[in-house]
Amino acid sequence: MDDEPNGPFKAFPSDLHDHLRPFFDDIREEVVRAIKTEIPEYARPTDDTYMQVVHRGVEHALQGFLERMAKPDTDWEPVTSTYQRIGRGEADEGRSLDSFQSALRLGARVTWRRVNALVDAELLPRKVLAAFGEALFLHLDEMAAATTAGYTEARLHAAGELQQRRTRLIDLLTADPPASAEAISDLAHTARWPVPRAVAVVAIDFGPRPAPAARPIVPPEFLARFDVQPSVLVVPDPDGPGRGRAVAGALHGLRAAMGPAVALQEGARSLRWAAEALDLVRRGILPDTELVRCQEHLATLLLFRDEALVDAMAERRLSPLNAMRPPQRERLAETLLSWLQSGHNASEVAARLAVHPQTVRYRMRQLDELFGDQLHDPTVQFEMQLALRALALRLTAVSRRGQ
């Protein structure tokens, strides 16, 4: 087999193309009929616009083949450029290449059969048959490769444009102040994203610029952006069947927080809560599970929304504890929080803390001496519980970081 691009064409007698040319009109018509008959995609009326394109494509393929026979030393880049354009056109129309590639192969078979018939009828010398077959299938391979290259180029270009639209859509869905419903709907249409009733935004701790190969594969109906920190995933209709499993599966092994389900124009709120939750995970305030759901930690999110305010409340309501040594102060704070949470039931506090009820009563007498009547004021009790809860979460975070 000749390794030169046009090697098989150089093996032909110099006048072979002139002998074949009169038969090619009939071959072209037979190829078109075969394509219309055998490939369902092309079973259309002759005057159909698409079939007219097919007719021209077949004519171009056969004419190009004859011209390569006539001038085998010429660079036949026009053949590849034409079929690259055809491939781009197929991609732009949203069609698969399967039918077109089948048409190319069918055209080659019909042409090969007709040329064999000419040889059998002694209208062509048999010695050219092998070279003709090699040249024909080289021509077919080049047309198929050029079509695939054009198709792939167009698909990649379209995918890039689509991703750009989806990136802008994420920005629009998480905009603050919110974008209009009409603007979201219009961009969603061009981004080929069905508009859901609600969305939830996931914040992902994925590093500043993750390599494309390391990015998680997410369902196509999700919107993802991994070029920001934290990375963002927009989940449509998050309460739908299987949605939670789909998110957890896609983000397996990554630290992430999922904001609440919100209306389409309130994505900024869902993202804000998710980002705040993710920060609390990093600090050890919230458990470092693979996917933290904000809906399960609303009180903690509220408590740490303004820590200076919580610190001011702790200073006002818990300052008497500062008079105690650190170990005793921590035990009394733990006991006071359990007492407030258990409805002032010493037995339940003992069970929670795994100590004797008498120990609880002793500690409560100490607390009564420190706080006096404040222990019996419902407003003070509420503020104490908030401050003690924040203190307990911070201590837990220190313990987690130390492990």
Side-chain angles (χ1 to χ4, degrees):
M1 193 162 196
D2 202 320
D3 290 334
E4 294 184 26
N6 289 319
F9 290 93
K10 294 180 179 180
F12 293 136
S14 60
D15 60 348
L16 182 62
H17 62 284
D18 287 330
H19 288 298
L20 284 174
R21 191 178 299 277
F23 302 102
F24 266 46
D25 283 346
D26 289 341
I27 292 174
R28 180 192 63 214
E29 295 303 322
E30 185 172 341
V31 168
V32 172
R33 283 196 303 272
I35 289 173
K36 289 179 62 177
T37 302
E38 299 185 29
I39 302 177
E41 175 72 16
Y42 300 104
R44 307 182 183 192
T46 303
D47 59 354
D48 180 86
T49 301
Y50 190 47
M51 282 309 301
Q52 291 176 4
V53 172
V54 171
H55 200 281
R56 287 196 299 272
V58 171
E59 183 173 8
H60 182 87
L62 293 173
Q63 186 62 33
F65 186 78
L66 283 174
E67 291 177 5
R68 293 182 77 174
M69 292 175 66
K71 301 176 181 178
D73 291 321
T74 303
D75 176 17
W76 286 103
E77 188 275 336
V79 172
T80 58
S81 62
T82 295
Y83 279 85
Q84 284 174 353
R85 287 196 298 273
I86 290 174
R88 287 193 289 269
E90 293 293 290
D92 291 342
E93 292 296 326
R95 287 188 287 266
S96 164
L97 268 188
D98 293 345
S99 295
F100 187 82
Q101 300 285 29
S102 296
L104 285 179
R105 292 191 294 271
L106 179 57
R109 290 200 305 272
V110 170
T111 303
W112 175 247
R113 185 171 63 243
R114 286 297 304 270
V115 170
N116 268 277
L118 292 175
V119 170
D120 292 341
E122 299 183 355
L123 296 174
L124 285 176
R126 184 166 294 278
K127 63 182 181 180
V128 305
L129 195 56
F132 185 91
E134 187 177 346
L136 177 64
F137 289 102
L138 170 65
H139 193 62
L140 169 69
D141 287 345
E142 290 178 353
M143 288 188 295
T147 305
T148 300
Y151 186 86
T152 303
E153 177 191 349
R155 289 291 297 269
L156 289 173
H157 180 72
E161 287 190 344
L162 186 64
Q163 185 55 50
Q164 288 178 1
R165 294 189 191 109
R166 290 192 162 206
T167 296
R168 292 199 299 272
L169 182 57
I170 291 173
D171 293 341
L172 211 59
L173 288 166
T174 57
D176 189 13
S180 69
E182 183 179 6
I184 292 173
S185 179
D186 288 347
L187 185 53
H189 176 72
T190 63
R192 300 179 188 173
W193 189 68
V195 177
R197 292 185 299 274
V199 295
V201 183
V202 181
I204 309 165
D205 206 355
F206 199 39
R209 300 188 71 83
R215 295 172 179 176
I217 299 174
V218 300
E221 66 271 23
F222 291 7
L223 299 175
R225 186 169 184 186
F226 298 112
D227 61 341
V228 292
Q229 180 64 5
S231 297
V232 174
L233 188 69
V234 177
V235 181
D237 294 323
D239 297 326
R243 276 290 194 256
R245 289 192 302 275
V247 175
L251 302 180
H252 180 68
L254 296 173
R255 178 186 288 162
M258 186 171 181
V262 295
L264 202 60
Q265 295 172 262
E266 298 181 17
R269 175 162 62 90
S270 188
L271 175 58
R272 182 174 65 250
W273 289 17
E276 290 173 0
L278 191 59
D279 183 60
L280 293 178
V281 173
R282 294 190 194 106
R283 292 173 54 189
I285 300 294
L286 289 178
D288 194 5
T289 54
E290 288 186 355
L291 181 63
V292 170
R293 301 175 189 276
C294 289
Q295 291 290 86
E296 299 171 4
H297 302 281
L298 296 179
T300 301
L301 286 168
L302 177 62
L303 195 56
F304 282 84
R305 191 69 192 275
D306 190 338
E307 294 187 61
L309 187 59
V310 174
D311 291 339
M313 187 162 53
E315 177 63 26
R316 183 182 183 196
R317 296 306 184 190
L318 303 179
S319 57
L321 289 174
N322 294 334
M324 314 303 291
R325 294 190 304 275
Q328 187 180 14
R329 182 167 65 241
E330 290 177 9
R331 286 195 296 271
L332 289 176
E334 182 183 43
T335 301
L336 179 55
L337 178 58
S338 293
W339 182 74
L340 291 168
Q341 291 175 332
S342 63
H344 313 163
N345 186 312
S347 297
E348 186 175 337
V349 174
R352 285 187 179 201
L353 301 181
V355 298
H356 195 277
Q358 190 60 36
T359 302
V360 174
R361 294 187 184 96
Y362 171 72
R363 292 179 185 175
M364 289 308 303
R365 284 196 295 272
Q366 290 181 293
L367 289 166
D368 194 57
E369 290 174 3
L370 288 171
F371 291 98
D373 291 341
Q374 292 184 75
L375 284 184
H376 307 287
D377 184 323
T379 300
V380 175
Q381 288 180 6
F382 175 71
E383 293 181 1
M384 279 182 170
Q385 187 168 344
L386 292 177
L388 288 165
R389 174 65 177 160
L391 176 62
L393 287 168
R394 285 171 174 167
L395 291 173
T396 300
V398 170
S399 175
R400 285 173 176 158
R401 289 197 296 269
Q403 291 177 352

